PDB file of all heavy atoms in Angstrom:
ATOM      1  N   HIS A1705      -3.051 -25.909 -11.513  1.00 90.00           N
ATOM      2  CA  HIS A1705      -2.087 -25.985 -10.402  1.00 90.00           C
ATOM      3  C   HIS A1705      -1.094 -27.179 -10.698  1.00 90.00           C
ATOM      4  O   HIS A1705      -1.465 -28.180 -11.089  1.00 90.00           O
ATOM      5  CB  HIS A1705      -2.836 -26.091  -9.113  1.00 90.00           C
ATOM      6  CG  HIS A1705      -1.997 -25.986  -7.854  1.00 90.00           C
ATOM      7  ND1 HIS A1705      -1.282 -27.107  -7.389  1.00 90.00           N
ATOM      8  CD2 HIS A1705      -1.714 -25.117  -7.043  1.00 90.00           C
ATOM      9  CE1 HIS A1705      -0.635 -26.857  -6.322  1.00 90.00           C
ATOM     10  NE2 HIS A1705      -0.933 -25.546  -6.082  1.00 90.00           N
ATOM     11  N   VAL A1706       0.181 -26.816 -10.534  1.00 89.00           N
ATOM     12  CA  VAL A1706       1.174 -27.802 -10.927  1.00 89.00           C
ATOM     13  C   VAL A1706       1.041 -29.248 -10.230  1.00 89.00           C
ATOM     14  O   VAL A1706       1.147 -30.284 -10.871  1.00 89.00           O
ATOM     15  CB  VAL A1706       2.606 -27.332 -10.706  1.00 89.00           C
ATOM     16  CG1 VAL A1706       2.874 -26.968  -9.175  1.00 89.00           C
ATOM     17  CG2 VAL A1706       3.575 -28.284 -11.224  1.00 89.00           C
ATOM     18  N   ALA A1707       0.675 -29.214  -9.012  1.00 89.00           N
ATOM     19  CA  ALA A1707       0.606 -30.474  -8.262  1.00 89.00           C
ATOM     20  C   ALA A1707      -0.535 -31.328  -8.751  1.00 89.00           C
ATOM     21  O   ALA A1707      -0.494 -32.463  -9.063  1.00 89.00           O
ATOM     22  CB  ALA A1707       0.505 -30.283  -6.798  1.00 89.00           C
ATOM     23  N   PHE A1708      -1.715 -30.633  -9.070  1.00 92.00           N
ATOM     24  CA  PHE A1708      -2.942 -31.355  -9.437  1.00 92.00           C
ATOM     25  C   PHE A1708      -2.695 -31.656 -11.032  1.00 92.00           C
ATOM     26  O   PHE A1708      -3.123 -32.828 -11.406  1.00 92.00           O
ATOM     27  CB  PHE A1708      -4.135 -30.450  -9.413  1.00 92.00           C
ATOM     28  CG  PHE A1708      -4.581 -30.317  -7.930  1.00 92.00           C
ATOM     29  CD1 PHE A1708      -4.203 -29.259  -7.121  1.00 92.00           C
ATOM     30  CD2 PHE A1708      -5.518 -31.238  -7.413  1.00 92.00           C
ATOM     31  CE1 PHE A1708      -4.716 -29.170  -5.793  1.00 92.00           C
ATOM     32  CE2 PHE A1708      -5.946 -31.106  -6.088  1.00 92.00           C
ATOM     33  CZ  PHE A1708      -5.568 -30.031  -5.326  1.00 92.00           C
ATOM     34  N   SER A1709      -2.024 -30.875 -11.719  1.00 92.00           N
ATOM     35  CA  SER A1709      -1.897 -31.160 -13.114  1.00 92.00           C
ATOM     36  C   SER A1709      -1.050 -32.419 -13.218  1.00 92.00           C
ATOM     37  O   SER A1709      -1.270 -33.335 -14.124  1.00 92.00           O
ATOM     38  CB  SER A1709      -1.239 -30.007 -13.817  1.00 92.00           C
ATOM     39  OG  SER A1709      -2.076 -28.851 -13.871  1.00 92.00           O
ATOM     40  N   SER A1710       0.036 -32.517 -12.413  1.00 93.00           N
ATOM     41  CA  SER A1710       0.904 -33.725 -12.494  1.00 93.00           C
ATOM     42  C   SER A1710       0.114 -34.934 -12.083  1.00 93.00           C
ATOM     43  O   SER A1710       0.329 -36.080 -12.706  1.00 93.00           O
ATOM     44  CB  SER A1710       2.062 -33.518 -11.613  1.00 93.00           C
ATOM     45  OG  SER A1710       1.686 -33.291 -10.238  1.00 93.00           O
ATOM     46  N   ALA A1711      -0.714 -34.840 -11.108  1.00 93.00           N
ATOM     47  CA  ALA A1711      -1.446 -35.949 -10.634  1.00 93.00           C
ATOM     48  C   ALA A1711      -2.471 -36.467 -11.841  1.00 93.00           C
ATOM     49  O   ALA A1711      -2.673 -37.669 -11.939  1.00 93.00           O
ATOM     50  CB  ALA A1711      -2.351 -35.666  -9.300  1.00 93.00           C
ATOM     51  N   PHE A1712      -3.075 -35.504 -12.506  1.00 94.00           N
ATOM     52  CA  PHE A1712      -3.950 -35.856 -13.577  1.00 94.00           C
ATOM     53  C   PHE A1712      -3.247 -36.553 -14.697  1.00 94.00           C
ATOM     54  O   PHE A1712      -3.812 -37.480 -15.316  1.00 94.00           O
ATOM     55  CB  PHE A1712      -4.686 -34.602 -14.108  1.00 94.00           C
ATOM     56  CG  PHE A1712      -5.629 -33.909 -13.149  1.00 94.00           C
ATOM     57  CD1 PHE A1712      -5.794 -32.663 -13.120  1.00 94.00           C
ATOM     58  CD2 PHE A1712      -6.324 -34.758 -12.327  1.00 94.00           C
ATOM     59  CE1 PHE A1712      -6.754 -32.050 -12.228  1.00 94.00           C
ATOM     60  CE2 PHE A1712      -7.296 -34.254 -11.403  1.00 94.00           C
ATOM     61  CZ  PHE A1712      -7.510 -32.860 -11.368  1.00 94.00           C
ATOM     62  N   VAL A1713      -1.933 -36.185 -14.881  1.00 93.00           N
ATOM     63  CA  VAL A1713      -1.088 -36.756 -15.911  1.00 93.00           C
ATOM     64  C   VAL A1713      -0.832 -38.306 -15.592  1.00 93.00           C
ATOM     65  O   VAL A1713      -1.000 -39.227 -16.350  1.00 93.00           O
ATOM     66  CB  VAL A1713       0.188 -36.115 -16.193  1.00 93.00           C
ATOM     67  CG1 VAL A1713       1.169 -36.960 -16.983  1.00 93.00           C
ATOM     68  CG2 VAL A1713       0.045 -34.773 -16.809  1.00 93.00           C
ATOM     69  N   GLY A1714      -0.675 -38.587 -14.207  1.00 93.00           N
ATOM     70  CA  GLY A1714      -0.399 -39.924 -13.840  1.00 93.00           C
ATOM     71  C   GLY A1714      -1.685 -40.692 -13.897  1.00 93.00           C
ATOM     72  O   GLY A1714      -1.717 -41.937 -14.349  1.00 93.00           O
ATOM     73  N   ILE A1715      -2.912 -40.217 -13.672  1.00 94.00           N
ATOM     74  CA  ILE A1715      -4.178 -40.778 -13.669  1.00 94.00           C
ATOM     75  C   ILE A1715      -4.470 -41.060 -15.220  1.00 94.00           C
ATOM     76  O   ILE A1715      -4.920 -42.209 -15.527  1.00 94.00           O
ATOM     77  CB  ILE A1715      -5.346 -40.043 -13.056  1.00 94.00           C
ATOM     78  CG1 ILE A1715      -5.093 -39.909 -11.539  1.00 94.00           C
ATOM     79  CG2 ILE A1715      -6.662 -40.569 -13.419  1.00 94.00           C
ATOM     80  CD1 ILE A1715      -6.123 -38.902 -10.974  1.00 94.00           C
ATOM     81  N   ALA A1716      -4.218 -40.150 -16.123  1.00 93.00           N
ATOM     82  CA  ALA A1716      -4.501 -40.347 -17.595  1.00 93.00           C
ATOM     83  C   ALA A1716      -3.574 -41.404 -18.103  1.00 93.00           C
ATOM     84  O   ALA A1716      -4.047 -42.215 -18.952  1.00 93.00           O
ATOM     85  CB  ALA A1716      -4.376 -39.040 -18.286  1.00 93.00           C
ATOM     86  N   PHE A1717      -2.379 -41.515 -17.687  1.00 93.00           N
ATOM     87  CA  PHE A1717      -1.332 -42.526 -18.068  1.00 93.00           C
ATOM     88  C   PHE A1717      -1.951 -43.907 -17.906  1.00 93.00           C
ATOM     89  O   PHE A1717      -1.837 -44.837 -18.649  1.00 93.00           O
ATOM     90  CB  PHE A1717      -0.052 -42.264 -17.446  1.00 93.00           C
ATOM     91  CG  PHE A1717       1.090 -43.194 -17.959  1.00 93.00           C
ATOM     92  CD1 PHE A1717       1.596 -42.947 -19.261  1.00 93.00           C
ATOM     93  CD2 PHE A1717       1.602 -44.253 -17.196  1.00 93.00           C
ATOM     94  CE1 PHE A1717       2.614 -43.755 -19.722  1.00 93.00           C
ATOM     95  CE2 PHE A1717       2.587 -44.958 -17.701  1.00 93.00           C
ATOM     96  CZ  PHE A1717       3.133 -44.795 -18.891  1.00 93.00           C
ATOM     97  N   VAL A1718      -2.573 -44.092 -16.655  1.00 92.00           N
ATOM     98  CA  VAL A1718      -3.160 -45.436 -16.317  1.00 92.00           C
ATOM     99  C   VAL A1718      -4.444 -45.667 -17.150  1.00 92.00           C
ATOM    100  O   VAL A1718      -4.688 -46.766 -17.668  1.00 92.00           O
ATOM    101  CB  VAL A1718      -3.405 -45.549 -14.895  1.00 92.00           C
ATOM    102  CG1 VAL A1718      -4.205 -46.816 -14.543  1.00 92.00           C
ATOM    103  CG2 VAL A1718      -2.078 -45.453 -14.035  1.00 92.00           C
ATOM    104  N   GLY A1719      -5.201 -44.557 -17.288  1.00 91.00           N
ATOM    105  CA  GLY A1719      -6.415 -44.659 -18.044  1.00 91.00           C
ATOM    106  C   GLY A1719      -6.279 -44.920 -19.527  1.00 91.00           C
ATOM    107  O   GLY A1719      -7.180 -45.519 -20.076  1.00 91.00           O
ATOM    108  N   LEU A1720      -5.101 -44.746 -20.072  1.00 92.00           N
ATOM    109  CA  LEU A1720      -4.907 -45.124 -21.468  1.00 92.00           C
ATOM    110  C   LEU A1720      -3.987 -46.337 -21.599  1.00 92.00           C
ATOM    111  O   LEU A1720      -3.337 -46.578 -22.572  1.00 92.00           O
ATOM    112  CB  LEU A1720      -4.043 -43.885 -22.154  1.00 92.00           C
ATOM    113  CG  LEU A1720      -5.017 -42.600 -22.327  1.00 92.00           C
ATOM    114  CD1 LEU A1720      -4.044 -41.443 -22.765  1.00 92.00           C
ATOM    115  CD2 LEU A1720      -6.075 -42.907 -23.325  1.00 92.00           C
ATOM    116  N   ASP A1721      -4.040 -47.218 -20.556  1.00 89.00           N
ATOM    117  CA  ASP A1721      -3.294 -48.454 -20.544  1.00 89.00           C
ATOM    118  C   ASP A1721      -1.911 -48.362 -20.797  1.00 89.00           C
ATOM    119  O   ASP A1721      -1.184 -49.127 -21.473  1.00 89.00           O
ATOM    120  CB  ASP A1721      -3.883 -49.444 -21.656  1.00 89.00           C
ATOM    121  CG  ASP A1721      -5.346 -49.887 -21.284  1.00 89.00           C
ATOM    122  OD1 ASP A1721      -5.747 -49.860 -20.069  1.00 89.00           O
ATOM    123  OD2 ASP A1721      -6.138 -50.034 -22.330  1.00 89.00           O
ATOM    124  N   PHE A1722      -1.238 -47.302 -20.197  1.00 89.00           N
ATOM    125  CA  PHE A1722       0.189 -46.989 -20.220  1.00 89.00           C
ATOM    126  C   PHE A1722       0.729 -46.866 -21.703  1.00 89.00           C
ATOM    127  O   PHE A1722       1.903 -46.899 -21.840  1.00 89.00           O
ATOM    128  CB  PHE A1722       0.941 -48.211 -19.538  1.00 89.00           C
ATOM    129  CG  PHE A1722       0.493 -48.434 -18.241  1.00 89.00           C
ATOM    130  CD1 PHE A1722      -0.343 -49.560 -17.948  1.00 89.00           C
ATOM    131  CD2 PHE A1722       0.899 -47.705 -17.107  1.00 89.00           C
ATOM    132  CE1 PHE A1722      -0.837 -49.908 -16.694  1.00 89.00           C
ATOM    133  CE2 PHE A1722       0.413 -47.933 -15.770  1.00 89.00           C
ATOM    134  CZ  PHE A1722      -0.452 -49.044 -15.612  1.00 89.00           C
ATOM    135  N   THR A1723      -0.191 -46.585 -22.521  1.00 89.00           N
ATOM    136  CA  THR A1723       0.142 -46.375 -24.001  1.00 89.00           C
ATOM    137  C   THR A1723      -0.381 -45.098 -24.606  1.00 89.00           C
ATOM    138  O   THR A1723      -1.305 -45.211 -25.531  1.00 89.00           O
ATOM    139  CB  THR A1723      -0.156 -47.544 -24.946  1.00 89.00           C
ATOM    140  OG1 THR A1723      -1.559 -47.829 -24.746  1.00 89.00           O
ATOM    141  CG2 THR A1723       0.617 -48.844 -24.468  1.00 89.00           C
ATOM    142  N   PRO A1724      -0.134 -44.002 -23.948  1.00 89.00           N
ATOM    143  CA  PRO A1724      -0.755 -42.659 -24.481  1.00 89.00           C
ATOM    144  C   PRO A1724      -0.129 -42.291 -25.830  1.00 89.00           C
ATOM    145  O   PRO A1724       0.936 -42.771 -26.130  1.00 89.00           O
ATOM    146  CB  PRO A1724      -0.417 -41.707 -23.417  1.00 89.00           C
ATOM    147  CG  PRO A1724       0.820 -42.128 -22.783  1.00 89.00           C
ATOM    148  CD  PRO A1724       0.752 -43.683 -22.806  1.00 89.00           C
ATOM    149  N   ASP A1725      -0.761 -41.310 -26.490  1.00 90.00           N
ATOM    150  CA  ASP A1725      -0.115 -40.761 -27.615  1.00 90.00           C
ATOM    151  C   ASP A1725       1.132 -40.054 -27.316  1.00 90.00           C
ATOM    152  O   ASP A1725       1.179 -39.258 -26.341  1.00 90.00           O
ATOM    153  CB  ASP A1725      -1.128 -39.833 -28.241  1.00 90.00           C
ATOM    154  CG  ASP A1725      -0.539 -39.117 -29.484  1.00 90.00           C
ATOM    155  OD1 ASP A1725      -0.590 -39.736 -30.629  1.00 90.00           O
ATOM    156  OD2 ASP A1725      -0.006 -38.041 -29.412  1.00 90.00           O
ATOM    157  N   ALA A1726       2.217 -40.370 -27.847  1.00 91.00           N
ATOM    158  CA  ALA A1726       3.551 -39.971 -27.380  1.00 91.00           C
ATOM    159  C   ALA A1726       3.653 -38.386 -27.467  1.00 91.00           C
ATOM    160  O   ALA A1726       4.218 -37.772 -26.465  1.00 91.00           O
ATOM    161  CB  ALA A1726       4.639 -40.521 -28.361  1.00 91.00           C
ATOM    162  N   TRP A1727       3.164 -37.785 -28.632  1.00 92.00           N
ATOM    163  CA  TRP A1727       3.304 -36.287 -28.597  1.00 92.00           C
ATOM    164  C   TRP A1727       2.428 -35.703 -27.634  1.00 92.00           C
ATOM    165  O   TRP A1727       2.735 -34.641 -26.995  1.00 92.00           O
ATOM    166  CB  TRP A1727       2.923 -35.889 -30.064  1.00 92.00           C
ATOM    167  CG  TRP A1727       4.025 -36.047 -31.045  1.00 92.00           C
ATOM    168  CD1 TRP A1727       4.160 -36.967 -31.957  1.00 92.00           C
ATOM    169  CD2 TRP A1727       5.297 -35.310 -31.039  1.00 92.00           C
ATOM    170  NE1 TRP A1727       5.346 -36.831 -32.666  1.00 92.00           N
ATOM    171  CE2 TRP A1727       6.118 -35.754 -32.159  1.00 92.00           C
ATOM    172  CE3 TRP A1727       5.840 -34.259 -30.206  1.00 92.00           C
ATOM    173  CZ2 TRP A1727       7.348 -35.328 -32.453  1.00 92.00           C
ATOM    174  CZ3 TRP A1727       7.107 -33.781 -30.589  1.00 92.00           C
ATOM    175  CH2 TRP A1727       7.781 -34.331 -31.661  1.00 92.00           C
ATOM    176  N   LEU A1728       1.130 -36.198 -27.473  1.00 93.00           N
ATOM    177  CA  LEU A1728       0.239 -35.614 -26.548  1.00 93.00           C
ATOM    178  C   LEU A1728       0.827 -35.703 -25.173  1.00 93.00           C
ATOM    179  O   LEU A1728       0.725 -34.715 -24.292  1.00 93.00           O
ATOM    180  CB  LEU A1728      -1.133 -36.323 -26.594  1.00 93.00           C
ATOM    181  CG  LEU A1728      -2.240 -35.660 -25.611  1.00 93.00           C
ATOM    182  CD1 LEU A1728      -2.457 -34.281 -25.956  1.00 93.00           C
ATOM    183  CD2 LEU A1728      -3.569 -36.630 -25.768  1.00 93.00           C
ATOM    184  N   PHE A1729       1.340 -36.873 -24.790  1.00 93.00           N
ATOM    185  CA  PHE A1729       1.919 -37.095 -23.474  1.00 93.00           C
ATOM    186  C   PHE A1729       3.105 -36.250 -23.216  1.00 93.00           C
ATOM    187  O   PHE A1729       3.312 -35.507 -22.205  1.00 93.00           O
ATOM    188  CB  PHE A1729       2.338 -38.516 -23.352  1.00 93.00           C
ATOM    189  CG  PHE A1729       2.776 -38.911 -21.932  1.00 93.00           C
ATOM    190  CD1 PHE A1729       1.923 -39.002 -20.857  1.00 93.00           C
ATOM    191  CD2 PHE A1729       4.239 -38.986 -21.671  1.00 93.00           C
ATOM    192  CE1 PHE A1729       2.435 -39.304 -19.632  1.00 93.00           C
ATOM    193  CE2 PHE A1729       4.677 -39.333 -20.408  1.00 93.00           C
ATOM    194  CZ  PHE A1729       3.757 -39.468 -19.390  1.00 93.00           C
ATOM    195  N   ALA A1730       3.975 -36.067 -24.294  1.00 94.00           N
ATOM    196  CA  ALA A1730       5.173 -35.109 -24.084  1.00 94.00           C
ATOM    197  C   ALA A1730       4.688 -33.692 -23.879  1.00 94.00           C
ATOM    198  O   ALA A1730       5.297 -32.949 -23.050  1.00 94.00           O
ATOM    199  CB  ALA A1730       6.015 -35.249 -25.368  1.00 94.00           C
ATOM    200  N   TRP A1731       3.686 -33.211 -24.693  1.00 94.00           N
ATOM    201  CA  TRP A1731       3.239 -31.830 -24.484  1.00 94.00           C
ATOM    202  C   TRP A1731       2.697 -31.689 -23.085  1.00 94.00           C
ATOM    203  O   TRP A1731       2.754 -30.593 -22.540  1.00 94.00           O
ATOM    204  CB  TRP A1731       2.276 -31.444 -25.633  1.00 94.00           C
ATOM    205  CG  TRP A1731       2.981 -31.157 -26.981  1.00 94.00           C
ATOM    206  CD1 TRP A1731       2.734 -31.703 -28.150  1.00 94.00           C
ATOM    207  CD2 TRP A1731       3.789 -30.032 -27.208  1.00 94.00           C
ATOM    208  NE1 TRP A1731       3.402 -31.196 -29.135  1.00 94.00           N
ATOM    209  CE2 TRP A1731       4.245 -30.190 -28.601  1.00 94.00           C
ATOM    210  CE3 TRP A1731       4.427 -29.101 -26.426  1.00 94.00           C
ATOM    211  CZ2 TRP A1731       5.008 -29.244 -29.202  1.00 94.00           C
ATOM    212  CZ3 TRP A1731       5.272 -28.205 -27.000  1.00 94.00           C
ATOM    213  CH2 TRP A1731       5.585 -28.307 -28.411  1.00 94.00           C
ATOM    214  N   ALA A1732       1.981 -32.671 -22.570  1.00 93.00           N
ATOM    215  CA  ALA A1732       1.336 -32.584 -21.329  1.00 93.00           C
ATOM    216  C   ALA A1732       2.446 -32.526 -20.198  1.00 93.00           C
ATOM    217  O   ALA A1732       2.349 -31.682 -19.325  1.00 93.00           O
ATOM    218  CB  ALA A1732       0.467 -33.785 -21.068  1.00 93.00           C
TER     219      ALA A1732
END
Side-chain angles (χ1 to χ4, degrees):
H1705 187 276
V1706 60
F1708 287 94
S1709 294
S1710 61
F1712 290 147
V1713 169
I1715 294 171
F1717 187 71
V1718 174
L1720 292 171
D1721 295 329
F1722 307 100
T1723 57
D1725 179 84
W1727 281 108
L1728 180 60
F1729 185 76
W1731 281 118

